[in-house]
Amino acid sequence: MLKRISTGDKIVLVLIYTFLTLLAFSALYPFWNAVAVSFNQGVDTAKGGITFWPREFTLENYKIILDDDRLANGFFISIARTVVGTATSIFMTALLAFGMTRNYLIGRNFYMVFFVFTMYFAGGLIPSYLLIRSLGMMNSFWVFIIPSLISVWNMIIFRTFFKGLPVGLEESASIDGCSNWGMFFRIILPLSGPVIATLSLFTAVGHWNDWFFPSIYITSDNLLPIQTILRQTLNANIVTNSNSVLDSASAMLMERSKQITSKSLTMAMMIVVTLPIVLVYPFVQKYFVKGVLVGSLKE
């Protein structure tokens, strides 16, 4: 028998749904407006008034971006950094977490305190810069990978998740003569799919969205990721100077087209940069609760 909802409860539900709708709208509208501006002619956009739909539809903004060699190279660097950085970071962090679950590891508690200490106290930008320079990683692709190999927070989540797995699995494997390496690759990793998928997404988003790190340690245009190029464009606020996202050929193309402005081109670039992560997110969203919450709460 269905329970009747009182008038007061209906009013409360209406207020809650209205508030949530407004909250969702306030979060989605800036992105949707950027999409509308990116598909609108630049000169018309400068007049203002673009809200939900483009007033003068055009694909010229995206054509210029996709034809630009510097942007294509930036996308390649970002994709390579995200793929390699995520894979190596997740593997090394999971391997460290597996070692930290071994009760026979000498000094395990000391190592744990040492790792957690680094979460709260860092050396700062200048010591980090001096360290990276002394290691010879300036203007190197590996500056994106090596400094971020270990995430202490992810290690804690991995460690807690591993400790929550049935002890009998490891005991059975040990009786059958399975080594630690075999136990890690054949038992632990296959059972850790949800937490691996979730932390991989967080790590990939961090690599993809990072613009500050390359702006400090990379001076060669050939190694700049797309986010740093976008940051330079936003700072410059024009598309024809040395820090622009356009090369000389694209700049000439822009001169020939009178319907393009820096704002419309920047919005189109923002959409192109954001789209890959937005498309990946739905495929791993189902792992969030099972992977992160269970892995962080079970002990």
Side-chain angles (χ1 to χ4, degrees):
M1 185 175 181
L2 297 177
K3 182 180 179 181
R4 297 185 60 183
I5 302 177
S6 64
T7 303
D9 291 339
K10 291 181 180 179
I11 295 176
V12 172
L13 288 176
V14 170
L15 293 176
I16 291 175
Y17 284 123
T18 302
F19 172 75
L20 292 178
T21 301
L22 294 176
L23 184 64
F25 174 79
S26 64
L28 294 176
Y29 174 73
F31 181 79
W32 183 259
N33 180 256
V35 174
V37 172
S38 68
F39 282 106
N40 198 74
Q41 289 184 355
V43 175
D44 183 73
T45 300
K47 301 176 183 178
I50 304 298
T51 55
F52 296 99
W53 309 103
R55 193 162 47 214
E56 298 290 338
F57 184 83
T58 182
L59 295 176
E60 197 64 35
N61 298 319
Y62 289 95
K63 289 180 181 179
I64 290 181
I65 289 176
L66 297 178
D67 289 340
D68 192 277
D69 293 336
R70 187 166 180 242
L71 292 182
N73 183 75
F75 267 109
F76 174 77
I77 295 297
S78 293
I79 293 174
R81 174 193 178 179
T82 301
V83 172
V84 177
T86 301
T88 54
S89 178
I90 292 298
F91 174 76
M92 296 300 295
T93 303
L95 187 62
L96 174 61
F98 175 72
M100 294 299 296
T101 61
R102 305 297 92 184
N103 294 327
Y104 51 80
L105 177 64
I106 301 176
R108 182 164 58 100
N109 294 331
F110 169 77
Y111 296 145
M112 195 64 194
V113 172
F114 179 79
F115 291 140
V116 173
F117 182 83
T118 62
M119 294 178 61
Y120 298 99
F121 303 97
L125 181 60
I126 295 178
S128 299
Y129 180 86
L130 296 176
L131 176 62
I132 294 297
R133 189 178 65 176
S134 64
L135 293 176
M137 289 193 294
M138 298 289 294
N139 282 322
S140 171
F141 177 79
W142 296 109
V143 76
F144 300 135
I145 310 300
I146 295 179
S148 59
L149 275 179
I150 300 297
S151 170
V152 178
W153 175 252
N154 290 347
M155 185 272 291
I156 294 175
I157 296 178
F158 268 124
R159 174 177 172 268
T160 309
F161 185 87
F162 293 162
K163 292 179 69 175
L165 296 176
V167 181
L169 293 175
E170 297 187 17
E171 293 178 350
S172 300
S174 299
I175 294 175
D176 291 337
C178 185
S179 64
N180 285 327
W181 286 107
M183 195 176 300
F184 177 71
F185 285 105
R186 297 180 182 180
I187 298 177
I188 301 298
L189 287 185
L191 294 175
S192 305
V195 69
I196 290 177
T198 304
L199 296 183
S200 294
L201 176 65
F202 292 156
T203 305
V205 170
H207 277 288
W208 183 267
N209 289 338
D210 179 38
W211 62 268
F212 180 76
F213 205 79
S215 65
I216 299 298
Y217 302 112
I218 300 295
T219 57
S220 173
D221 289 343
N222 294 329
L223 287 174
L224 287 179
I226 191 65
Q227 295 289 357
T228 305
I229 298 176
L230 175 60
R231 179 66 180 182
Q232 291 178 352
T233 306
L234 295 176
N235 286 340
N237 201 28
I238 55 175
V239 292
T240 54
N241 60 11
S242 60
N243 291 328
S244 170
V245 297
L246 297 179
D247 58 11
S248 58
S250 298
M252 293 175 60
L253 179 60
M254 180 180 171
E255 288 296 329
R256 294 196 300 266
S257 177
K258 301 301 182 181
Q259 302 301 321
I260 296 173
T261 62
S262 60
K263 181 178 180 179
S264 62
L265 207 60
T266 300
M267 290 298 180
M269 185 175 177
M270 289 175 59
I271 299 302
V272 172
V273 169
T274 307
L275 193 60
I277 292 298
V278 173
L279 294 178
V280 170
Y281 181 83
F283 294 98
V284 295
Q285 183 183 12
K286 61 182 179 180
Y287 295 111
F288 280 6
V289 174
K290 185 176 180 181
V292 172
L293 295 184
V294 173
S296 60
L297 296 178
K298 288 180 64 178
E299 182 65 45

